[in-house]
Amino acid sequence: MNKFLSFFKTTSPLILLLIGVGVEILSKIIETKFPTIAMGLQLLTFMLIIYALIKFFNSKFK
């Protein structure tokens, strides 16, 4: 669990945004066959992108 959390703390916001876009594309592909899994992936993507944007703006204004 510590490696998982440290990954998000040390990764740059650009990489987090790219991961979020990749997961969003994956969720759109599987949306027709598995709508509940796709909805969960979209929620995960939203949280990931918001976290990356907050991290980006905090680093710019320090």
Side-chain angles (χ1 to χ4, degrees):
M1 189 70 175
N2 282 338
K3 288 184 181 183
F4 183 72
L5 291 177
S6 68
F7 171 76
F8 285 104
K9 289 180 183 178
T10 59
T11 306
S12 71
L14 179 63
I15 292 176
L16 289 174
L17 284 172
L18 291 175
I19 291 171
V21 168
V23 172
E24 181 65 29
I25 291 170
L26 177 68
S27 72
K28 289 297 180 183
I29 291 172
I30 67 168
E31 190 172 21
T32 56
K33 293 190 179 201
F34 305 106
T36 55
I37 294 173
M39 187 66 73
L41 286 175
Q42 288 174 1
L43 180 62
L44 176 72
T45 302
F46 175 74
M47 291 187 301
L48 187 63
I49 289 175
I50 293 298
Y51 176 72
L53 288 174
I54 290 171
K55 189 173 178 180
F56 174 75
F57 285 120
N58 278 342
S59 68
K60 289 294 179 184
F61 293 118
K62 275 190 173 180

